[in-house]
């Protein structure tokens, strides 16, 4: 029997595969734009008409409550508060950030689970169609590699969230196959290996350069492999625990292999960290960007393929738009982490007792002001919008503080060119960088430190810190000392360090460099540090932020989300709940 594939609103649907969910809902109400027969789908000339559905899923399936960047879930870390208007505004996320009272029936968990598996279903359909095409054709080989990269991305994000997940990685899956999936088919270690298998297949085929931005390259795949091997290295294979039981050196050597400088000859650090988070065409997909989700404007659709996933993070902006939702608020703890001593180095054993304020004599790392909007400085570097400690800049009236996340936001001066009000909320055309070169350097530094090559680890950290130091003289915040009375001091690490000391340095540098990029919570879980660090955060921060009172992170439970009740109840007994007495 020949299948016919409908092209609907840029998404591919097959009228013979009922098990795949990407064809349901609003798509059924759309008018088909064209059809492809099974023979045509095999033709390399038409194959991208199949794959567009998978790529489109990166934009169309996620939403502001279930962002594939996972910013909503990084609010469990010591970097950020959930924010919003009050505790009832996004209540399940506030419960989650307190690590208390989390229920398997809370709606966000089933929502993001469903969205990622809808995305994976599109990739499965694409791979099945690629499998019947000419396997000797170079285009078919490359597109298959791209789909395996995208499949790895979906499984990786799900595994970081839920730990025990079913893998959708077998060919020609039908309804019974989906109904009989188990989320314990693989051990934790074996689950990471399934993701690695896809990426290693892709790495062998992907080109060094892609003509179309957004398609993964060999370097992007190498960075992804390094990240998955780094997660796999910290073994958590006790079914009754989330504790790190061992650190595998063979996996760490793979991290070193896939972060080799020769792989990244076309990449490097931007002069200014902020260049990674700008929407203008001259900055997007820059030399530090290995792979980014591509958004667009003025593309013939109602709003363009804009980035709606960050729209909850925009604050209220005086005289521009008063409907900012003001979520993902940087914490006091994070801001204090950027303070430096007389050598220009951060405190590795806890934040200073005195909170940082603009205009004080305290010295800080310039990266603070690219990451966090601090009262006394301009919002998005625009002096028409000076932030202060008033309700103008805090939707909650100060309950969640007055700091604002900057990396996801866009200068209000770019309204109607790169920033748009859609349905009374903000959206922008700014890409979302998934892998960047600074992360590669720090992953390599971590693997070096863990394998005892501490001098090399520190040298890599110092590469990142050199860029940060140069920002005091050449960046969008270089004039802050003269204009706002801030004091920069950032130095390099010198001397000889033990393995434990080097790891402390690497961990801190990851926090400072990647803050508010949704990595912090997952790093803490990977290292086995989550319970210690987050409970210390609760203890110190609740003295200043009352809403955190009574919070308690339970080890061997709160490291991962519960498998949603809806999924357990529909799994015919094939799913097992995570440990922690959910």
């Amino acid at each position: 029997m020949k299948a016919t594939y409908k092209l609907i609103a840029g998404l591919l649907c097959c009228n013979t595969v009922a098990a795949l969910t990407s064809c349901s809902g609003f798509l059924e109400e759309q008018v088909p734009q064209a059809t492809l027969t099974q023979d045509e789908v095999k033709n390399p000339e038409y194959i991208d008409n199949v794959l567009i559905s998978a790529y489109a899923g990166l934009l169309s399936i996620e939403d502001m409550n279930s962002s594939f960047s996972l910013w909503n879930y990084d609010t469990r870390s010591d970097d950020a508060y959930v924010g919003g208007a009050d505790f009832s505004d996004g209540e399940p996320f506030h419960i989650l950030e307190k690590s208390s009272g989390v229920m398997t029936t809370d709606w966000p968990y089933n929502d993001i689970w469903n969205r990622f598996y809808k995305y994976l279903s599109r990739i499965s359909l694409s791979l099945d169609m690629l499998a019947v095409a000419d396997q000797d054709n170079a285009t078919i080989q490359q597109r298959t590699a791209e789909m395996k990269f995208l499949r790895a991305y979906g499984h990786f994000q799900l595994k970081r969230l839920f730990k025990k997940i079913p893998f959708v990685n077998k060919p020609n899956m039908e309804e019974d196959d989906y109904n009989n999936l188990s989320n314990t088919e693989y051990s934790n270690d074996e689950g990471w290996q399934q993701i690695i298998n896809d990426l290693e297949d892709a790495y062998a085929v992907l080109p060094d350069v892609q003509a179309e931005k957004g398609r993964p390259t060999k370097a992007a795949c190498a960075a992804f492999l390094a990240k998955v091997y780094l997660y796999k290295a910290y073994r958590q294979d006790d079914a009754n625990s989330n504790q790190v039981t061992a650190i595998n050196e063979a996996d760490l050597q793979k991290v070193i292999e896939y972060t080799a400088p020769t792989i990244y000859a076309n990449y490097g650090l931007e002069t200014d960290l902020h260049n990674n988070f700008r929407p203008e065409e001259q900055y997007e997909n820059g030399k530090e960007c290995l792979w980014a989700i591509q958004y667009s404007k003025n593309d013939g659709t109602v709003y363009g393929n804009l980035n709606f996933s960050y729209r909850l993070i925009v604050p209220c902006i005086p005289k521009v738009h008063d409907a900012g939702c003001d979520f993902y608020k940087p914490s006091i703890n994070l801001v204090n982490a950027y303070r430096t001593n007389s050598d220009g180095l951060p405190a590795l054993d806890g934040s200073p007792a005195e909170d940082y304020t603009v205009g004080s004599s305290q010295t800080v790392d310039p990266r603070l002001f690219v990451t966090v909007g601090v009262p006394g400085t301009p919002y998005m570097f625009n002096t028409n919008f000076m932030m202060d400690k008033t309700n103008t800049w805090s939707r909650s009236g100060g309950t969640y503080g007055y700091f604002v996340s900057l990396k996801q936001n866009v200068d209000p001066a770019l309204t109607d060119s790169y920033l748009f009000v859609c349905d009374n909320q903000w959206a922008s055309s700014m890409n979302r960088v998934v892998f960047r070169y600074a992360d590669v350097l720090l992953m390599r530094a971590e693997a070096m430190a863990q394998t005892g090559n501490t001098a090399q680890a520190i040298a890599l950290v110092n590469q990142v810190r050199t860029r940060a130091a140069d920002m005091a003289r050449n960046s969008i915040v270089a004039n802050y000392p003269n204009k706002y009375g801030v004091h920069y001091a950032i130095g390099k690490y010198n001397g000889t360090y033990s393995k434990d000391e080097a790891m402390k340095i690497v961990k801190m540098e990851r926090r400072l460099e990647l803050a508010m990029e949704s990595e912090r919570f997952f790093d803490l879980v990977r290292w086995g540090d989550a319970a210690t660090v987050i409970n210390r955060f609760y203890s110190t921060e609740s003295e200043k932020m009352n809403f955190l009172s009574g919070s308690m992170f339970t080890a061997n439970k709160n490291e991962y989300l519960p498998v949603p009740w809806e999924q357990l109840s529909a799994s015919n007994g094939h799913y097992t709940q995570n440990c922690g007495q959910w």
Side-chain angles (χ1 to χ4, degrees):
M1 179 178 65
K2 287 189 176 181
T4 301
Y5 302 88
K6 299 178 182 179
L7 284 174
I8 303 175
L11 308 176
L12 183 82
C13 290
C14 170
N15 65 357
T16 64
V17 188
L20 297 178
T21 59
S22 62
C23 302
S24 64
F26 77 95
L27 291 177
E28 295 174 347
E29 302 171 4
Q30 304 300 311
V31 177
Q33 298 170 354
T35 61
L36 291 171
T37 67
Q38 195 170 40
D39 287 338
E40 287 174 327
V41 167
K42 294 179 184 179
N43 189 327
E45 180 182 351
Y46 298 111
I47 202 66
D48 277 337
N49 291 327
V50 178
L51 308 189
I52 191 174
S53 173
Y55 278 105
L58 292 167
L59 282 68
S60 62
I61 293 177
E62 70 166 354
D63 79 346
M64 60 187 181
N65 293 298
S66 293
S67 171
F68 285 5
S69 75
L70 306 188
W71 70 260
N72 320 63
Y73 296 95
D74 189 45
T75 56
R76 292 175 287 176
S77 77
D78 52 351
D79 273 7
Y81 320 125
V82 172
D86 52 40
F87 196 80
S88 66
D89 191 13
E91 183 176 5
F93 290 107
H94 286 291
I95 291 171
L96 190 64
E97 79 174 325
K98 290 171 65 68
S99 304
S100 305
V102 179
M103 304 292 288
T104 64
T105 52
D106 289 340
W107 66 264
Y109 319 141
N110 191 57
D111 188 66
I112 198 162
W113 177 291
N114 275 331
R115 288 177 185 277
F116 268 118
Y117 279 105
K118 286 179 180 179
Y119 162 74
L120 286 168
S121 75
R122 296 187 183 192
I123 296 167
S124 291
L125 176 58
S126 297
L127 283 167
D128 287 345
M129 294 303 98
L130 285 161
V132 299
D134 179 5
Q135 298 303 295
D136 292 327
N137 182 277
T139 298
I140 298 300
Q141 292 172 2
Q142 183 172 314
R143 298 298 184 254
T144 300
E146 291 173 23
M147 291 300 102
K148 288 188 174 183
F149 180 98
L150 295 187
R151 183 166 70 180
Y153 176 70
H155 283 136
F156 175 72
Q157 296 289 65
L158 281 162
K159 188 151 180 57
R160 291 206 294 179
L161 286 169
F162 294 100
K163 190 176 186 180
K164 291 181 180 177
I165 64 167
F167 281 81
V168 185
N169 58 358
K170 296 176 177 64
N172 300 310
M173 293 180 68
E174 298 187 0
E175 188 168 0
D176 285 346
D177 299 312
Y178 284 97
N179 290 337
N180 290 311
L181 283 173
S182 166
N183 71 337
T184 55
E185 179 181 1
Y186 305 106
S187 69
N188 191 55
D189 180 52
E190 291 169 343
W192 291 123
Q193 188 61 49
Q194 297 306 304
I195 299 170
I196 287 167
N197 290 346
D198 269 347
L199 289 172
E200 289 187 331
D201 286 350
Y203 182 75
V205 175
L206 287 171
D208 292 330
V209 178
Q210 291 272 22
E212 296 173 297
K213 301 298 184 183
R215 294 189 189 273
T217 62
K218 190 175 289 290
C221 195
F224 198 174
L225 272 164
K227 179 152 288 193
V228 183
Y229 269 116
L230 200 53
Y231 274 79
K232 183 173 179 284
Y234 293 85
R235 298 297 170 85
Q236 298 179 19
D237 279 324
D238 180 351
N240 300 310
S241 167
N242 294 326
Q243 299 303 300
V244 175
T245 57
I247 302 175
N248 185 274
E249 184 159 344
D251 288 337
L252 294 172
Q253 290 298 333
K254 283 291 188 179
V255 176
I256 293 170
E257 175 185 339
Y258 284 114
T259 56
T262 53
I263 298 173
Y264 304 94
N266 296 325
Y267 299 90
L269 296 175
E270 292 277 2
T271 302
D272 185 350
L273 173 64
H274 178 53
N275 291 351
N276 292 294
F277 309 99
R278 300 190 67 161
E280 300 97 324
E281 288 80 1
Q282 65 267 36
Y283 295 107
E284 291 199 318
N285 303 302
K287 67 177 182 179
E288 193 168 338
C289 175
L290 292 159
W291 186 59
I293 309 301
Q294 307 291 308
Y295 296 92
S296 64
K297 58 189 178 73
N298 302 325
D299 58 9
T301 60
V302 175
Y303 291 131
N305 287 295
L306 296 174
N307 184 345
F308 288 93
S309 65
Y310 288 157
R311 65 192 312 182
L312 291 178
I313 301 175
V314 183
C316 298
I317 306 173
K319 300 179 182 178
V320 175
H321 189 59
D322 60 2
C325 291
D326 202 28
F327 283 87
Y328 202 29
K329 302 283 282 181
S331 69
I332 296 170
N333 187 282
L334 174 63
V335 170
N336 286 335
Y338 285 97
R339 286 188 54 182
T340 56
N341 61 21
S342 58
D343 293 322
L345 300 176
L348 299 178
D349 295 308
S351 298
E354 186 180 359
D355 293 338
Y356 176 72
T357 57
V358 168
S360 71
S361 61
Q362 302 156 334
T363 57
V364 291
D365 184 323
R367 288 175 291 185
L368 167 62
F369 298 107
V370 168
T371 305
V372 180
V374 182
T377 64
Y379 173 68
M380 295 311 303
F381 323 104
N382 187 328
T383 55
N384 291 318
F385 307 100
M386 295 299 296
M387 292 175 286
D388 56 36
K389 288 188 176 182
T390 67
N391 292 354
T392 302
W393 289 100
S394 177
R395 184 172 171 228
S396 66
T399 299
Y400 306 114
Y402 298 94
F403 300 127
V404 174
S405 181
L406 298 183
K407 288 181 175 177
Q408 300 83 7
N409 286 317
V410 173
D411 182 355
L414 300 179
T415 300
D416 296 329
S417 55
Y418 297 97
L419 181 65
F420 305 88
V421 179
C422 307
D423 294 333
N424 204 40
Q425 287 183 319
W426 291 113
S428 77
S429 60
M430 181 171 66
N431 290 350
R432 174 167 67 82
V433 178
V434 180
F435 301 114
R436 62 183 179 92
Y437 185 62
D439 194 4
V440 171
L441 292 175
L442 293 174
M443 289 191 291
R444 186 172 180 83
E446 184 173 338
M448 290 291 188
Q450 288 286 19
T451 54
N453 299 307
T454 57
Q456 294 179 63
I458 298 303
L460 289 160
V461 167
N462 281 337
Q463 282 190 50
V464 178
R465 292 187 67 78
T466 296
R467 190 261 297 276
D470 290 343
M471 286 171 58
R473 298 175 295 277
N474 185 21
S475 73
I476 200 163
V477 296
N479 65 349
Y480 277 32
N482 291 332
K483 295 193 71 172
Y484 309 112
V486 305
H487 302 278
Y488 292 147
I490 179 165
K492 297 180 183 179
Y493 291 95
N494 297 303
T496 303
Y497 298 92
S498 68
K499 175 180 172 179
D500 288 345
E501 290 170 335
M503 277 303 300
K504 278 187 177 182
I505 289 169
V506 170
K507 289 177 179 181
M508 175 57 82
E509 201 61 29
R510 282 192 66 82
R511 186 184 192 190
L512 299 175
E513 177 66 22
L514 303 173
M516 306 303 287
E517 294 180 46
S518 309
E519 290 293 309
R520 175 65 172 173
F521 179 80
F522 302 106
D523 278 346
L524 292 173
V525 171
R526 174 167 61 81
W527 294 324
D529 293 345
T532 299
V533 170
I534 295 172
N535 280 326
R536 183 173 63 231
F537 168 70
Y538 289 154
S539 177
T540 58
E541 205 88 346
S542 62
E543 298 173 4
K544 309 164 188 175
M545 310 302 287
N546 292 333
F547 71 92
L548 288 175
S549 297
S551 300
M552 175 61 70
F553 189 99
T554 302
N556 301 319
K557 179 177 182 176
N558 294 127
E559 292 89 351
Y560 296 95
L561 299 178
V563 177
W565 177 85
E566 292 89 339
Q567 301 302 323
L568 281 171
S569 62
S571 72
N572 299 316
H574 294 299
Y575 290 179
T576 300
Q577 186 56 271
N578 283 316
C579 65
Q581 298 183 344
W582 293 101

